[in-house]
Amino acid sequence: MNAFDLKEPETLEEALDLLDTDDPSVRCVAGGTALMLMMKSKLFEPETLVSLHRLRPNLRGVHVDDGGALHLGPLTTLRELELSPVVQQFSPVIPRALKTLANVRVRNVATVGGHLAHGDPHMDLPPIFMALDARVKIQRAGGVRELPLSEFLTGYYSTALDTGELITEVIVPPVPQGMNGTYLKFTALSADDWPMVGVAAFVKVDGDTIADARVVVSAATEKATRLTGVETRLAGVRVRDEVLDDAAELAVANLKPLADIRGSSAYKREIVKVCVRKSLKKAAGLQREASGTEG
Ligand SMILES: Cc1cc2nc3c(=O)[nH]c(=O)nc-3n(C[C@H](O)[C@H](O)[C@H](O)COP(=O)(O)OP(=O)(O)OC[C@H]3O[C@@H](n4cnc5c(N)ncnc54)[C@H](O)[C@@H]3O)c2cc1C
């Protein structure tokens, strides 16, 4: 790992000023779990790192506002999220998924902001947050903007963040009443490996009809991707096994998974199909247990 200068600003304004530079090797560091791997493998050799750890008092924490939306500070650790009673009550799918993410040592230091900003398609939370229509608040010296997570994640390890910008909040709108969700991940190399396929499914059934369905696939794709065609196909339809089987077929109709050490593109298509079918059945209440590693 190369030698670098470590800056430790005390305020958000100071941090934004330090990051407001044309030098691409100046980067912020939160938990450091992703960045250090890149630095150790020499994929990234910074001149300067701007540590966010002194901003923790103002940029960490979890609360639900009067309208029922969940607000997450970017420096909240994944372990804090996992153990938060507020998050558990908001959507138990989030803490369940976190229990299967990496290991407790990683979760103790990894942060929500770093998790999203890294843009790694194998991350476990983006599919869940995307299915719940999460938005990301982004701040730069002299300005704030907000993007839906679906627009924030732009591709393989890429996001809409510009130089000099920091995630300052993640906002998740309230989960519609009566909507059930699940996150199912398939790991190929070992049980605690990164997912080869991740699927988040949320379904609201009114009587025997699907009122709302949201499905997001990740890990096999270059970024977490909402399957809007499947969602449209399911809306207003009577909930039956055959309909969900058809939805799983439709999910992979135009999907071209990326091949890698975890599996070929064809193999991943089959696994996506299985995961979509199982997670939809679980979320729709047609199957009590979804096998695989369930979040
Ligand atoms: C051994 C291991 C196993 C893992 N397994 C899994 C797994 O199974 N599933 C899974 O989902 N993840 C897994 N991870 C990844 C882990 O979730 C991420 O490394 C972590 O969430 C990144 O957060 P961080 O705070 O450490 O980010 P950092 O490493 O500090 O930063 C990552 C990137 O985000 C930027 N950044 C950080 N904070 C902000 C901010 N507030 N605003 C803008 N940019 C910011 C940094 O500049 C950097 O580019 C694993 C990691 C390790 C080391």
Side-chain angles (χ1 to χ4, degrees):
M1 200 154 72
N2 67 306
F4 58 88
D5 193 14
L6 184 70
K7 306 278 189 201
E8 296 174 285
E10 302 279 347
T11 64
L12 176 60
E13 290 66 32
E14 230 184 289
L16 292 171
D17 279 344
L18 286 166
L19 292 164
D20 190 13
T21 161
D22 291 335
D23 181 350
S25 81
V26 177
R27 192 84 73 90
C28 74
V29 58
T33 59
L35 215 51
M36 289 304 149
L37 289 182
M38 289 174 63
M39 289 166 65
K40 281 185 184 165
S41 57
K42 299 193 183 296
L43 279 171
F44 177 57
E45 299 189 292
E47 298 266 311
T48 304
L49 282 185
V50 178
S51 167
L52 303 180
H53 78 109
R54 293 206 169 134
L55 312 184
R56 244 174 83 76
N58 292 326
L59 287 182
R60 66 170 275 268
V62 168
H63 76 274
V64 170
D65 67 24
D66 292 344
L70 179 71
H71 295 250
L72 307 173
L75 297 180
T76 311
T77 66
L78 299 186
R79 181 70 170 158
E80 286 168 335
L81 215 58
E82 175 190 344
L83 299 179
S84 162
V86 174
V87 176
Q88 172 69 34
Q89 179 154 17
F90 181 82
S91 172
V93 178
I94 300 170
R96 271 208 302 271
L98 282 163
K99 283 185 185 19
T100 68
L101 186 155
N103 56 59
V104 75
R105 296 187 309 281
V106 171
R107 300 199 297 274
N108 268 333
V109 286
T111 65
V112 173
H115 191 78
L116 300 184
H118 195 46
D120 181 339
H122 303 93
M123 298 288 192
D124 285 305
L125 292 182
I128 300 170
F129 285 171
M130 195 180 282
L132 293 176
D133 288 332
R135 301 190 307 275
V136 182
K137 193 187 263 187
I138 300 165
Q139 201 156 332
R140 61 183 310 139
V144 184
R145 61 187 179 124
E146 216 174 277
L147 282 180
L149 181 60
S150 51
E151 290 174 27
F152 175 84
L153 298 172
T154 52
Y156 196 65
Y157 286 90
S158 72
T159 71
L161 276 175
D162 278 335
T163 319
E165 289 188 320
L166 283 176
I167 296 176
T168 51
E169 194 169 44
V170 178
I171 305 152
V172 192
V175 183
Q177 212 161 19
M179 180 171 260
N180 287 320
T182 191
Y183 171 68
L184 188 61
K185 72 170 162 183
F186 183 90
T187 59
L189 303 183
S190 66
D192 58 357
D193 186 27
W194 295 70
M196 180 185 95
V197 170
V199 173
F202 285 77
V203 178
K204 178 175 173 164
V205 179
D206 268 346
D208 64 356
T209 302
I210 298 174
D212 191 357
R214 304 172 188 183
V215 191
V216 181
V217 63
S218 64
T221 43
E222 67 168 20
K223 64 183 190 106
T225 304
R226 198 144 165 181
L227 301 179
T228 46
V230 173
E231 296 176 358
T232 309
R233 164 80 180 84
L234 290 174
V237 169
R238 195 159 66 81
V239 61
R240 284 174 295 132
D241 278 318
E242 305 77 69
V243 167
L244 303 183
D245 292 344
D246 285 353
E249 293 288 343
L250 186 60
V252 295
N254 296 312
L255 203 73
K256 293 191 176 61
L258 305 170
D260 60 19
I261 52 159
R262 291 182 173 83
S264 66
S265 185
Y267 179 56
K268 288 186 184 184
R269 274 180 100 244
E270 291 306 309
I271 300 295
V272 169
K273 205 192 305 180
V274 172
C275 288
V276 168
R277 190 174 62 233
K278 287 190 169 182
S279 55
L280 276 174
K281 286 188 180 179
K282 176 84 194 305
L286 292 187
Q287 184 178 305
R288 285 195 65 74
E289 296 303 325
S291 57
T293 307
E294 193 193 350

PDB file of all heavy atoms in Angstrom, residues 227-245:
ATOM      1  N   LEU A 227     -37.070  -4.806 -11.896  1.00  0.00           N
ATOM      2  CA  LEU A 227     -37.684  -5.533 -13.015  1.00  0.00           C
ATOM      3  C   LEU A 227     -39.089  -4.981 -13.234  1.00  0.00           C
ATOM      4  O   LEU A 227     -40.097  -5.571 -12.820  1.00  0.00           O
ATOM      5  CB  LEU A 227     -37.706  -7.035 -12.717  1.00  0.00           C
ATOM      6  CG  LEU A 227     -36.327  -7.678 -12.458  1.00  0.00           C
ATOM      7  CD1 LEU A 227     -36.469  -9.156 -12.146  1.00  0.00           C
ATOM      8  CD2 LEU A 227     -35.391  -7.481 -13.656  1.00  0.00           C
ATOM      9  N   THR A 228     -39.150  -3.839 -13.910  1.00  0.00           N
ATOM     10  CA  THR A 228     -40.432  -3.134 -14.047  1.00  0.00           C
ATOM     11  C   THR A 228     -41.431  -3.925 -14.900  1.00  0.00           C
ATOM     12  O   THR A 228     -42.637  -3.865 -14.661  1.00  0.00           O
ATOM     13  CB  THR A 228     -40.218  -1.728 -14.652  1.00  0.00           C
ATOM     14  OG1 THR A 228     -39.345  -1.850 -15.759  1.00  0.00           O
ATOM     15  CG2 THR A 228     -39.612  -0.774 -13.657  1.00  0.00           C
ATOM     16  N   GLY A 229     -40.920  -4.680 -15.880  1.00  0.00           N
ATOM     17  CA  GLY A 229     -41.820  -5.490 -16.724  1.00  0.00           C
ATOM     18  C   GLY A 229     -42.545  -6.536 -15.874  1.00  0.00           C
ATOM     19  O   GLY A 229     -43.746  -6.776 -16.057  1.00  0.00           O
ATOM     20  N   VAL A 230     -41.817  -7.142 -14.958  1.00  0.00           N
ATOM     21  CA  VAL A 230     -42.406  -8.159 -14.076  1.00  0.00           C
ATOM     22  C   VAL A 230     -43.431  -7.494 -13.155  1.00  0.00           C
ATOM     23  O   VAL A 230     -44.537  -8.014 -12.944  1.00  0.00           O
ATOM     24  CB  VAL A 230     -41.292  -8.836 -13.232  1.00  0.00           C
ATOM     25  CG1 VAL A 230     -41.895  -9.776 -12.192  1.00  0.00           C
ATOM     26  CG2 VAL A 230     -40.319  -9.575 -14.137  1.00  0.00           C
ATOM     27  N   GLU A 231     -43.066  -6.327 -12.639  1.00  0.00           N
ATOM     28  CA  GLU A 231     -43.968  -5.627 -11.716  1.00  0.00           C
ATOM     29  C   GLU A 231     -45.297  -5.289 -12.406  1.00  0.00           C
ATOM     30  O   GLU A 231     -46.376  -5.472 -11.845  1.00  0.00           O
ATOM     31  CB  GLU A 231     -43.295  -4.358 -11.200  1.00  0.00           C
ATOM     32  CG  GLU A 231     -42.046  -4.646 -10.367  1.00  0.00           C
ATOM     33  CD  GLU A 231     -41.308  -3.393  -9.917  1.00  0.00           C
ATOM     34  OE1 GLU A 231     -41.719  -2.271 -10.257  1.00  0.00           O
ATOM     35  OE2 GLU A 231     -40.297  -3.547  -9.214  1.00  0.00           O
ATOM     36  N   THR A 232     -45.203  -4.799 -13.654  1.00  0.00           N
ATOM     37  CA  THR A 232     -46.415  -4.437 -14.399  1.00  0.00           C
ATOM     38  C   THR A 232     -47.259  -5.677 -14.681  1.00  0.00           C
ATOM     39  O   THR A 232     -48.485  -5.655 -14.568  1.00  0.00           O
ATOM     40  CB  THR A 232     -46.016  -3.759 -15.739  1.00  0.00           C
ATOM     41  OG1 THR A 232     -45.103  -2.718 -15.452  1.00  0.00           O
ATOM     42  CG2 THR A 232     -47.211  -3.195 -16.477  1.00  0.00           C
ATOM     43  N   ARG A 233     -46.574  -6.761 -15.035  1.00  0.00           N
ATOM     44  CA  ARG A 233     -47.284  -8.021 -15.344  1.00  0.00           C
ATOM     45  C   ARG A 233     -48.077  -8.516 -14.130  1.00  0.00           C
ATOM     46  O   ARG A 233     -49.149  -9.108 -14.274  1.00  0.00           O
ATOM     47  CB  ARG A 233     -46.249  -9.053 -15.785  1.00  0.00           C
ATOM     48  CG  ARG A 233     -46.670 -10.509 -15.800  1.00  0.00           C
ATOM     49  CD  ARG A 233     -47.485 -10.836 -17.044  1.00  0.00           C
ATOM     50  NE  ARG A 233     -47.908 -12.220 -17.088  1.00  0.00           N
ATOM     51  CZ  ARG A 233     -48.993 -12.703 -16.474  1.00  0.00           C
ATOM     52  NH1 ARG A 233     -49.759 -11.911 -15.757  1.00  0.00           N
ATOM     53  NH2 ARG A 233     -49.304 -13.971 -16.567  1.00  0.00           N
ATOM     54  N   LEU A 234     -47.542  -8.273 -12.932  1.00  0.00           N
ATOM     55  CA  LEU A 234     -48.168  -8.818 -11.727  1.00  0.00           C
ATOM     56  C   LEU A 234     -49.293  -7.945 -11.174  1.00  0.00           C
ATOM     57  O   LEU A 234     -50.212  -8.449 -10.521  1.00  0.00           O
ATOM     58  CB  LEU A 234     -47.105  -9.018 -10.629  1.00  0.00           C
ATOM     59  CG  LEU A 234     -46.102 -10.153 -10.884  1.00  0.00           C
ATOM     60  CD1 LEU A 234     -45.017 -10.157  -9.818  1.00  0.00           C
ATOM     61  CD2 LEU A 234     -46.826 -11.500 -10.904  1.00  0.00           C
ATOM     62  N   ALA A 235     -49.219  -6.629 -11.448  1.00  0.00           N
ATOM     63  CA  ALA A 235     -50.181  -5.710 -10.819  1.00  0.00           C
ATOM     64  C   ALA A 235     -51.601  -6.019 -11.261  1.00  0.00           C
ATOM     65  O   ALA A 235     -51.888  -6.132 -12.462  1.00  0.00           O
ATOM     66  CB  ALA A 235     -49.821  -4.273 -11.165  1.00  0.00           C
ATOM     67  N   GLY A 236     -52.501  -6.184 -10.311  1.00  0.00           N
ATOM     68  CA  GLY A 236     -53.920  -6.380 -10.593  1.00  0.00           C
ATOM     69  C   GLY A 236     -54.290  -7.806 -10.963  1.00  0.00           C
ATOM     70  O   GLY A 236     -55.427  -8.072 -11.342  1.00  0.00           O
ATOM     71  N   VAL A 237     -53.327  -8.715 -10.860  1.00  0.00           N
ATOM     72  CA  VAL A 237     -53.585 -10.105 -11.276  1.00  0.00           C
ATOM     73  C   VAL A 237     -53.897 -10.957 -10.035  1.00  0.00           C
ATOM     74  O   VAL A 237     -53.389 -10.706  -8.949  1.00  0.00           O
ATOM     75  CB  VAL A 237     -52.321 -10.650 -12.003  1.00  0.00           C
ATOM     76  CG1 VAL A 237     -52.403 -12.139 -12.225  1.00  0.00           C
ATOM     77  CG2 VAL A 237     -52.117  -9.917 -13.301  1.00  0.00           C
ATOM     78  N   ARG A 238     -54.753 -11.984 -10.217  1.00  0.00           N
ATOM     79  CA  ARG A 238     -55.061 -12.865  -9.092  1.00  0.00           C
ATOM     80  C   ARG A 238     -53.805 -13.672  -8.730  1.00  0.00           C
ATOM     81  O   ARG A 238     -53.127 -14.200  -9.626  1.00  0.00           O
ATOM     82  CB  ARG A 238     -56.206 -13.822  -9.470  1.00  0.00           C
ATOM     83  CG  ARG A 238     -56.824 -14.514  -8.258  1.00  0.00           C
ATOM     84  CD  ARG A 238     -58.220 -15.017  -8.598  1.00  0.00           C
ATOM     85  NE  ARG A 238     -58.181 -16.082  -9.602  1.00  0.00           N
ATOM     86  CZ  ARG A 238     -57.916 -17.374  -9.308  1.00  0.00           C
ATOM     87  NH1 ARG A 238     -57.681 -17.747  -8.084  1.00  0.00           N
ATOM     88  NH2 ARG A 238     -57.906 -18.266 -10.283  1.00  0.00           N
ATOM     89  N   VAL A 239     -53.499 -13.701  -7.438  1.00  0.00           N
ATOM     90  CA  VAL A 239     -52.244 -14.330  -7.028  1.00  0.00           C
ATOM     91  C   VAL A 239     -52.377 -15.861  -7.086  1.00  0.00           C
ATOM     92  O   VAL A 239     -53.239 -16.458  -6.446  1.00  0.00           O
ATOM     93  CB  VAL A 239     -51.801 -13.821  -5.619  1.00  0.00           C
ATOM     94  CG1 VAL A 239     -52.803 -14.142  -4.538  1.00  0.00           C
ATOM     95  CG2 VAL A 239     -50.438 -14.353  -5.247  1.00  0.00           C
ATOM     96  N   ARG A 240     -51.556 -16.469  -7.937  1.00  0.00           N
ATOM     97  CA  ARG A 240     -51.566 -17.928  -8.112  1.00  0.00           C
ATOM     98  C   ARG A 240     -50.138 -18.372  -8.414  1.00  0.00           C
ATOM     99  O   ARG A 240     -49.346 -17.593  -8.969  1.00  0.00           O
ATOM    100  CB  ARG A 240     -52.428 -18.321  -9.331  1.00  0.00           C
ATOM    101  CG  ARG A 240     -53.921 -18.262  -9.103  1.00  0.00           C
ATOM    102  CD  ARG A 240     -54.676 -18.527 -10.390  1.00  0.00           C
ATOM    103  NE  ARG A 240     -54.444 -17.499 -11.390  1.00  0.00           N
ATOM    104  CZ  ARG A 240     -54.124 -17.728 -12.659  1.00  0.00           C
ATOM    105  NH1 ARG A 240     -53.985 -18.937 -13.103  1.00  0.00           N
ATOM    106  NH2 ARG A 240     -53.936 -16.726 -13.500  1.00  0.00           N
ATOM    107  N   ASP A 241     -49.828 -19.616  -8.122  1.00  0.00           N
ATOM    108  CA  ASP A 241     -48.485 -20.147  -8.393  1.00  0.00           C
ATOM    109  C   ASP A 241     -48.077 -19.931  -9.851  1.00  0.00           C
ATOM    110  O   ASP A 241     -46.970 -19.505 -10.147  1.00  0.00           O
ATOM    111  CB  ASP A 241     -48.434 -21.650  -8.092  1.00  0.00           C
ATOM    112  CG  ASP A 241     -48.238 -21.913  -6.606  1.00  0.00           C
ATOM    113  OD1 ASP A 241     -47.423 -21.207  -5.989  1.00  0.00           O
ATOM    114  OD2 ASP A 241     -48.933 -22.776  -6.069  1.00  0.00           O
ATOM    115  N   GLU A 242     -49.029 -20.213 -10.778  1.00  0.00           N
ATOM    116  CA  GLU A 242     -48.673 -20.148 -12.203  1.00  0.00           C
ATOM    117  C   GLU A 242     -48.281 -18.733 -12.617  1.00  0.00           C
ATOM    118  O   GLU A 242     -47.387 -18.533 -13.444  1.00  0.00           O
ATOM    119  CB  GLU A 242     -49.854 -20.590 -13.095  1.00  0.00           C
ATOM    120  CG  GLU A 242     -50.435 -21.959 -12.796  1.00  0.00           C
ATOM    121  CD  GLU A 242     -51.319 -21.968 -11.569  1.00  0.00           C
ATOM    122  OE1 GLU A 242     -52.401 -21.366 -11.625  1.00  0.00           O
ATOM    123  OE2 GLU A 242     -50.937 -22.551 -10.538  1.00  0.00           O
ATOM    124  N   VAL A 243     -48.962 -17.735 -12.030  1.00  0.00           N
ATOM    125  CA  VAL A 243     -48.658 -16.341 -12.375  1.00  0.00           C
ATOM    126  C   VAL A 243     -47.236 -15.990 -11.926  1.00  0.00           C
ATOM    127  O   VAL A 243     -46.472 -15.331 -12.642  1.00  0.00           O
ATOM    128  CB  VAL A 243     -49.693 -15.404 -11.687  1.00  0.00           C
ATOM    129  CG1 VAL A 243     -49.240 -13.958 -11.751  1.00  0.00           C
ATOM    130  CG2 VAL A 243     -51.049 -15.574 -12.340  1.00  0.00           C
ATOM    131  N   LEU A 244     -46.865 -16.468 -10.744  1.00  0.00           N
ATOM    132  CA  LEU A 244     -45.532 -16.156 -10.237  1.00  0.00           C
ATOM    133  C   LEU A 244     -44.462 -16.949 -11.003  1.00  0.00           C
ATOM    134  O   LEU A 244     -43.349 -16.457 -11.216  1.00  0.00           O
ATOM    135  CB  LEU A 244     -45.461 -16.418  -8.726  1.00  0.00           C
ATOM    136  CG  LEU A 244     -46.507 -15.621  -7.913  1.00  0.00           C
ATOM    137  CD1 LEU A 244     -46.342 -15.851  -6.433  1.00  0.00           C
ATOM    138  CD2 LEU A 244     -46.438 -14.125  -8.214  1.00  0.00           C
ATOM    139  N   ASP A 245     -44.820 -18.146 -11.456  1.00  0.00           N
ATOM    140  CA  ASP A 245     -43.895 -18.912 -12.314  1.00  0.00           C
ATOM    141  C   ASP A 245     -43.652 -18.148 -13.624  1.00  0.00           C
ATOM    142  O   ASP A 245     -42.521 -18.031 -14.095  1.00  0.00           O
ATOM    143  CB  ASP A 245     -44.472 -20.297 -12.647  1.00  0.00           C
ATOM    144  CG  ASP A 245     -44.544 -21.193 -11.415  1.00  0.00           C
ATOM    145  OD1 ASP A 245     -43.890 -20.869 -10.409  1.00  0.00           O
ATOM    146  OD2 ASP A 245     -45.275 -22.198 -11.473  1.00  0.00           O
TER     147      ASP A 245
END
